[in-house]
Amino acid sequence: MLLVELFTQGLVQGSIYALIALGLTLVYGLLRILHVAHAAFFTLGAYVGILVCNASGSLILGFAAAMAIAGCAGVITYRLAYQPLLDKPPFVALIASIGLYIASEEAFRVFFGAQGISFVDPPLQQQLLLFGTIRLKMAELLVMIGSLAIIFVLSRLQNGTRLGLACQATVSDPQMAESFGISLRLVRDLNFFVGSALAAFAGVWVALLNNLVEPTMGSVPSYKALAIIVLGGLGSVRGTLAAALVLGVVEAYGTIYLGKLLDRNAIAFAFLILVLMVRPQGLFSRR
Amino acid sequence: MLELDSISCGYDAFRAVHGLSLILREGEITGLLGANGAGKSSTLMCVAGHVALQEGRILLNGEDISRLPVARRVHAGIAIAPEGRRLFKDLSVEDNLRIGGLIHPAADFRRDRDRVLDLFPRLAERLPLPAGNLSGGEQQMLAIARALMARPRLIMIDELSLGLMPKVIDLCYQALERLRSEGLAVLLVEQNTERALAVADHICVLESGRTVWTGSAAQARGDATLASAYLGLH
């Protein structure tokens, strides 16, 4: 039964990675920029979620505020930091992005303090027993369901609406998309909004699971999400989701069986390095 | 309907086309001929808004559209089937058509789609396939069909016959003649000079970005020096 429980824990962690990595993939597919600062919206979401939930007593309001504020912050970041750099070589935007992330950590420290904040009365902490065998916190169950639901809805919107189609066309060939009347600006704003809102969604869940939000909570997920999108074959949404779940599960098993040798993050990165040595094009790359 | 008033265009310091003047009319096919690198594709991409206009004006029904944003040009009635076709390869044939018609209401899609499928019946069997899986000829048909979904008044087609089998080229040219009879203006870039001379109403020949010959296709067909000097015909 330990195996099944570990697998479940892996999926919980994996769905959080998936939510974060999805936004990175969207940005990479659209602009070919490695958006390191993406993790700042994960942290921002977590702070807003806790603060709003503590103030209002409503977790749903916390989620809504976190996603809306992080989404708008994402669009503003795109307009101010990336848009002016689009005709420069991609490393210029990458450097800007790294700088932004570091600045964001310091900003969180200044505004919210270095020691971190918690929920006054953390919701969704009750223990469940699934199928009589799997012990799970309510929040852990909901993060899996919530991620699945949100990814399902997004993929339906992507494939079933004209706006989704316009996004796909823009990823495929921006110039031609523009020639058929698609506003690149609208598509890019939308992608930054959705990607950042997803990161914030993940941030609030992590806040719930750990009952702690710190200025630096985004740094490790940020590196991991970068590695995940490479593993998923850069720009492929399906590959990213699969890679995120695989990494979550590998981490969960690794922590138990290799825990004496390596810590959780070391296991994750050792796995990523190994895979990329064998398949530098990523696990799920088409080319 | 579209007038190029001594336009020059290119990238940064590089000038691909110098002072080209051309008038395109509804129901006429204009063939833009010349060797590789003569500036034919740059001209098309400049009208589409992707290559910078450095001098001159582009007039649409007398209105200056030189500064019109790219995404607005399709609303003005200009559509392009570009060099290399540039389909949305991972998307289905049907979705490619849908994007072509994105500026029109969703309710019109079925009618517009059936209209272009009537022109290229072969695409009807391919609707659910990814565009990248089509044969070269089918891809060219789809590129033209996608442009037609925008219901343009001017369609620009780059290298219509490049890499295609003669039978497919016949099909495409038949479609072109039908579009002309329906009143569309066509700006056609061709390497296949004989084909272009046979179908076009007007011919413009570029060499190194400069216009070296312009006139009716009938004149062009009768001009022996033109044929040997610029078009490699004997």
Side-chain angles (χ1 to χ4, degrees):
Chain A
M1 277 313 98
L2 178 65
L3 286 180
V4 181
E5 263 194 57
L6 283 178
F7 189 74
T8 318
Q9 287 302 327
L11 290 184
V12 170
Q13 197 59 45
S15 34
I16 289 168
Y17 292 153
L19 289 172
I20 304 174
L22 215 52
L24 276 183
T25 299
L26 289 178
V27 173
Y28 185 83
L30 212 52
L31 303 175
R32 306 280 136 177
I33 289 175
L34 283 176
H35 178 34
V36 177
H38 185 58
F41 304 106
F42 165 78
T43 314
L44 177 66
Y47 273 111
V48 173
I50 285 196
L51 290 173
V52 171
C53 182
N54 281 348
S56 68
S58 159
L59 182 63
I60 292 178
L61 205 61
F63 269 111
M67 291 172 77
I69 290 174
C72 293
V75 174
I76 292 168
T77 305
Y78 162 66
R79 293 266 185 95
L80 295 183
Y82 292 144
Q83 200 174 342
L85 301 178
L86 284 182
D87 49 358
K88 305 270 188 299
F91 66 81
V92 177
L94 176 64
I95 293 168
S97 190
I98 294 171
L100 261 176
Y101 180 71
I102 296 171
S104 79
E105 276 193 355
E106 294 312 314
F108 291 132
R109 214 186 304 279
V110 170
F111 282 108
F112 304 115
Q115 68 283 12
I117 62 173
S118 302
F119 284 98
V120 177
D121 176 22
L124 305 178
Q125 302 296 315
Q126 50 278 52
Q127 289 285 343
L128 304 174
L129 198 61
L130 278 193
F131 312 117
T133 49
I134 306 167
R135 272 176 293 123
L136 210 59
K137 259 197 266 180
M138 189 65 164
E140 291 173 328
L141 180 66
L142 287 180
V143 69
M144 283 194 289
I145 297 173
S147 313
L148 266 179
I150 214 165
I151 287 163
F152 177 75
V153 169
L154 273 180
S155 80
R156 289 302 294 265
L157 290 177
Q158 177 95 335
N159 293 312
T161 64
R162 286 155 66 91
L163 196 56
L165 210 55
C167 292
Q168 293 185 60
T170 307
V171 169
S172 172
D173 188 331
Q175 264 193 352
M176 279 305 113
E178 211 180 0
S179 260
F180 286 103
I182 295 169
S183 155
L184 298 189
R185 190 184 172 115
L186 172 72
V187 167
R188 286 166 179 165
D189 283 354
L190 184 74
N191 273 269
F192 270 88
F193 186 90
V194 170
S196 308
L198 283 180
F201 185 70
V204 181
W205 283 114
V206 169
L208 276 167
L209 295 177
N210 302 343
N211 195 21
L212 176 67
V213 170
E214 302 169 290
T216 55
M217 69 182 272
S219 63
V220 170
S222 148
Y223 306 136
K224 274 189 197 162
L226 281 176
I228 285 170
I229 67 168
V230 176
L231 204 60
L234 277 176
S236 148
V237 171
R238 260 180 229 153
T240 301
L241 296 178
L245 293 178
V246 168
L247 184 70
V249 171
V250 166
E251 252 187 64
Y253 284 119
T255 322
I256 296 299
Y257 296 110
L258 302 169
K260 292 201 185 87
L261 295 170
L262 294 169
D263 97 319
R264 184 182 189 92
N265 295 327
I267 290 165
F269 285 111
F271 171 72
L272 291 169
I273 290 167
L274 274 176
V275 173
L276 292 177
M277 278 167 71
V278 184
R279 278 187 69 86
Q281 73 275 42
L283 276 180
F284 307 96
S285 172
R286 266 167 296 172
R287 284 167 287 276
Chain B
M1 63 163 302
L2 190 88
E3 183 181 354
L4 306 184
D5 178 13
S6 57
I7 64 161
S8 298
C9 63
Y11 311 85
D12 298 325
F14 173 69
R15 183 162 283 196
V17 175
H18 304 262
L20 168 64
S21 289
L22 205 57
I23 295 181
L24 310 175
R25 294 189 183 85
E26 271 147 10
E28 287 186 359
I29 298 176
T30 303
L32 198 53
L33 308 181
N36 265 335
K40 308 182 299 283
S41 296
S42 299
T43 305
L44 257 56
M45 289 303 262
C46 176
V47 176
H50 294 302
V51 166
L53 181 71
Q54 295 166 330
E55 272 171 30
R57 294 181 309 164
I58 302 173
L59 303 168
L60 185 73
N61 299 323
E63 200 180 324
D64 191 344
I65 60 159
S66 308
R67 302 272 164 265
L68 196 66
V70 175
R72 297 297 310 169
R73 295 189 187 209
V74 64
H75 294 267
I78 300 173
I80 187 168
E83 188 178 16
R85 288 140 208 170
R86 297 177 64 175
L87 300 171
F88 304 113
K89 286 205 174 72
D90 298 337
L91 299 180
S92 68
V93 170
E94 181 148 37
D95 280 347
N96 270 270
L97 295 177
R98 206 169 256 131
I99 293 163
L102 220 48
I103 60 164
H104 299 299
D108 295 356
F109 172 68
R110 202 175 278 266
R111 195 195 66 209
D112 288 345
R113 182 197 64 188
D114 292 346
R115 196 170 48 88
V116 301
L117 291 181
D118 186 45
L119 200 60
F120 297 113
R122 263 172 70 175
L123 294 178
E125 306 148 31
R126 305 281 189 269
L127 286 176
L129 292 182
N133 291 9
L134 300 185
S135 71
E138 290 164 347
Q139 292 199 13
Q140 185 61 279
M141 292 179 197
L142 179 55
I144 298 171
R146 178 180 66 175
L148 290 174
M149 287 298 290
R151 289 184 229 148
R153 287 182 292 163
L154 164 69
I155 182 169
M156 304 187 288
I157 305 176
D158 203 342
E159 297 293 10
L160 178 78
S161 65
L162 190 69
L164 303 189
M165 296 194 302
K167 242 185 185 167
V168 180
I169 304 179
D170 288 342
L171 280 175
C172 290
Y173 270 100
Q174 280 163 21
L176 227 56
E177 288 179 16
R178 203 169 127 191
L179 294 173
R180 167 168 62 189
S181 71
E182 289 169 8
L184 218 68
V186 180
L187 179 55
L188 176 70
V189 162
E190 257 296 8
Q191 292 271 2
N192 191 334
T193 308
E194 283 172 70
R195 289 271 184 176
L197 284 177
V199 72
D201 302 294
H202 294 279
I203 295 290
C204 173
V205 183
L206 296 181
E207 193 186 56
S208 309
R210 292 177 199 281
T211 313
V212 291
W213 198 94
T214 174
S216 78
Q219 281 175 293
R221 285 190 287 266
D223 189 330
T225 31
L226 169 72
S228 57
Y230 297 114
L231 302 177
L233 295 178
H234 304 288

